Amino acid sequence: MASTAQFAEIANLAGDPARAAMLDALMDGRALSATELANVAGITPQTASGHLAQLASAGLILVQKQGRHRYHRLANAQVAQMVEAIMQVASGLGPARKPVRTGPKDEALRTARTCYDHIAGRLGVALADALVRGGHAEISRDGALITPKGLAFLSGMGIALTTPPRSKRVLCRPCLDWSERRPDLAGTVGTALCQHSLASGWIRQSEGSRALAITRKGEAAFREHFGVVLD
Amino acid sequence: MASTAQFAEIANLAGDPARAAMLDALMDGRALSATELANVAGITPQTASGHLAQLASAGLILVQKQGRHRYHRLANAQVAQMVEAIMQVASGLGPARKPVRTGPKDEALRTARTCYDHIAGRLGVALADALVRGGHAEISRDGALITPKGLAFLSGMGIALTTPPRSKRVLCRPCLDWSERRPDLAGTVGTALCQHSLASGWIRQSEGSRALAITRKGEAAFREHFGVVLD
DNA sequence: GCGATGGTTCGGGCATGGCCGTAGCATCGC
DNA sequence: GCGATGCTACGGCCATGCCCGAACCATCGC
């Protein structure tokens, strides 16, 4: 079983500002090099190296060496979900303490960003809303599903979902967006949607940030397929 | 937005062994006094008091004074879900390091326990399995739902679920059980089932533990209604 | 009222662990 | 080959924060 000691060990790893910044940066699902992570954490490479060793040894991240670089990424979706859950609680005390400082970079993140494997931010929420409005999905606080109609809708767009044999509905996971405080779609469906949007050139990952840029093509696609217009 | 500093602050609170033990103890959803929590954490009351003040000020727990006692409980389901997620990750590294020490107390926890608001352990998993087997529920990795048939089944048992107006299905949240590594039912449905089982005297909360005792009456009820027989 | 119990506050001891400078390995480009 | 770059290992400085003992406040039983 999971002893409280192990519990504390994991939480403690996430509890250091530098490591927290690293985990946050890795939440876009990409693999980052040690120096990149050192930068986002605002520490020297030596220190970062130590932190990364700890995270790796605990199994929170995976390291993949490629030439003289070593790329680090989150180990699995469970870790991502943990980070998500902590962020959820952390955002609860945010507004209560500081009146929310919204810089321009912050604004980009609010508009659209990746959340490990799916689209979050205003775009993510808007897409989820659109699917619900069109009768393609149902979302509640506890869960979400894609209706048969929605399944056809998505597959018509080239997004194929592997349906479990017994069920006619495809269940998916709602993820309470910490900036919008409304649910977006995560899990298998969210991943597929995000992948497809990237592959189609609707959105593009920014270089040093979790922010997503919506391309001109994407603007049109989201409006046409989903009726989504941001701002 | 949730800054990484706030993220680290929250994670750090959960990252201390003493506080971790407290949060774990509070995961049964009950409210415990300061001394009780000091005991489970293995520290003196003074120290516990300090920890509890921190947890309360961060909004992780709520304090309710009653006479000369002060009862502490988890602030909300989000905190519980965070603890759950961390435990999930922590249990991942458990078996890999130690061959798992199963004491008698541990065995009781594995059989049945509360997980904030629902039933976990072998009983929780067995109930979820039974609902699926009977066509009352569908569960996938990403989500779960109660079928109309299941809705009738539960309401026939006296468990009324508030159905969202637009949907005929009741979505619910699967919770990957850390001991069984299989899903049990959380969220609204899980809560209702747990409440009903307690109210009907099918299960009873143990005094100083999260373990649930299955009563003789409960044994019969679970067998009759769900076809569930443990061991 | 008075003792007993539950809880908190304060102060100081002490260990843990984060941080960086220096130095040492690996790999790449040429 | 040789320098440059990415990363890691070691040692020492230093702050954070956990812990307890002692004292103080609140509440209960009587």
Side-chain angles (χ1 to χ4, degrees):
Chain A
M1 79 176 263
S3 70
T4 61
Q6 290 167 339
F7 176 96
E9 188 183 335
I10 297 298
N12 194 31
L13 282 173
D16 175 80
R19 287 190 296 261
M22 292 176 173
L23 290 175
D24 181 41
L26 291 173
M27 272 300 278
D28 65 357
R30 285 184 288 191
L32 301 177
S33 71
T35 25
E36 285 175 311
L37 288 168
N39 285 335
V40 302
I43 53 178
T44 59
Q46 312 92 292
T47 309
S49 179
H51 285 308
L52 290 170
Q54 291 182 65
L55 290 173
S57 122
L60 292 191
I61 63 174
L62 294 178
V63 189
Q64 183 176 3
K65 68 180 300 186
Q66 196 171 108
R68 59 180 160 182
H69 295 267
R70 306 192 66 173
Y71 289 103
H72 305 77
R73 59 188 170 83
L74 293 189
N76 53 51
Q78 276 161 34
V79 176
Q81 212 166 330
M82 177 186 84
V83 173
E84 205 177 288
I86 299 174
M87 212 176 293
Q88 189 65 41
V89 173
S91 73
L93 85 175
R97 297 197 169 173
K98 296 172 190 172
V100 182
R101 198 100 181 85
T102 59
K105 188 187 157 203
D106 199 81
E107 193 51 39
L109 279 180
R110 282 176 180 278
T111 301
R113 66 176 179 280
T114 43
C115 179
Y116 188 59
D117 55 4
H118 64 276
I119 302 173
R122 271 199 292 273
L123 177 60
V125 171
L127 289 175
D129 280 348
L131 286 172
V132 169
R133 208 166 37 236
H136 301 136
E138 293 175 15
I139 301 182
S140 82
R141 196 170 49 78
D142 283 340
L145 62 78
I146 301 294
T147 62
K149 185 180 167 191
L151 199 59
F153 171 71
L154 290 176
S155 104
M157 217 183 307
I159 305 177
L161 298 173
T162 56
T163 322
R166 302 258 315 184
S167 169
K168 290 191 187 63
R169 316 261 175 155
V170 177
L171 294 164
C172 51
R173 187 168 73 82
C175 165
L176 192 57
D177 190 283
W178 53 256
S179 59
E180 297 297 304
R181 293 303 212 156
R182 307 254 326 278
D184 50 43
L185 287 182
T188 316
V189 176
T191 305
L193 194 55
C194 183
Q195 300 285 1
H196 186 264
S197 299
L198 281 168
S200 305
W202 294 349
I203 51 178
R204 215 178 31 237
Q205 308 223 71
S206 309
E207 197 51 45
S209 150
R210 280 174 60 191
L212 285 172
I214 304 175
T215 64
R216 192 164 295 267
K217 191 174 165 188
E219 232 174 272
F222 290 132
R223 186 175 51 239
E224 185 188 335
H225 294 302
F226 299 93
V228 164
V229 179
L230 289 185
D231 293 334
Chain B
M1 78 175 263
S3 70
T4 60
Q6 289 167 338
F7 176 96
E9 186 184 336
I10 296 299
N12 194 28
L13 282 173
D16 175 81
R19 286 190 297 260
M22 292 176 173
L23 290 175
D24 181 41
L26 290 174
M27 271 301 277
D28 65 356
R30 283 184 287 189
L32 301 178
S33 72
T35 24
E36 284 175 314
L37 288 169
N39 285 335
V40 302
I43 52 179
T44 59
Q46 315 91 289
T47 309
S49 178
H51 286 308
L52 290 170
Q54 290 181 67
L55 291 173
S57 124
L60 293 191
I61 62 174
L62 294 179
V63 189
Q64 184 176 0
K65 66 180 303 185
Q66 196 170 110
R68 59 180 161 183
H69 294 267
R70 305 190 67 171
Y71 289 104
H72 306 77
R73 59 188 170 83
L74 293 189
N76 52 51
Q78 278 161 32
V79 175
Q81 213 167 331
M82 177 185 85
V83 173
E84 205 177 288
I86 299 174
M87 213 177 293
Q88 189 65 40
V89 173
S91 73
L93 86 178
R97 297 197 168 174
K98 295 174 189 171
V100 182
R101 199 97 181 90
T102 59
K105 188 187 155 201
D106 200 80
E107 193 51 39
L109 279 180
R110 283 178 179 277
T111 301
R113 65 176 178 280
T114 42
C115 179
Y116 188 58
D117 55 4
H118 64 276
I119 302 173
R122 272 198 293 274
L123 177 60
V125 170
L127 288 176
D129 281 349
L131 286 173
V132 169
R133 208 166 36 234
H136 302 312
E138 294 175 16
I139 302 182
S140 83
R141 195 168 49 78
D142 284 340
L145 61 77
I146 300 294
T147 62
K149 185 180 168 190
L151 198 58
F153 171 70
L154 290 176
S155 102
M157 218 183 302
I159 305 177
L161 298 173
T162 55
T163 321
R166 302 257 317 181
S167 169
K168 290 194 187 61
R169 315 267 175 152
V170 177
L171 294 163
C172 52
R173 189 168 72 81
C175 166
L176 192 57
D177 190 282
W178 53 256
S179 60
E180 298 295 305
R181 294 302 214 157
R182 306 254 326 279
D184 50 44
L185 287 183
T188 316
V189 176
T191 305
L193 194 53
C194 183
Q195 300 286 0
H196 186 265
S197 300
L198 281 169
S200 304
W202 295 350
I203 50 178
R204 213 177 31 239
Q205 308 223 81
S206 309
E207 197 51 43
S209 149
R210 281 174 56 190
L212 285 172
I214 304 174
T215 64
R216 191 165 294 266
K217 190 174 166 190
E219 231 173 274
F222 291 133
R223 185 176 53 238
E224 184 188 337
H225 294 300
F226 298 93
V228 164
V229 180
L230 290 184
D231 295 334

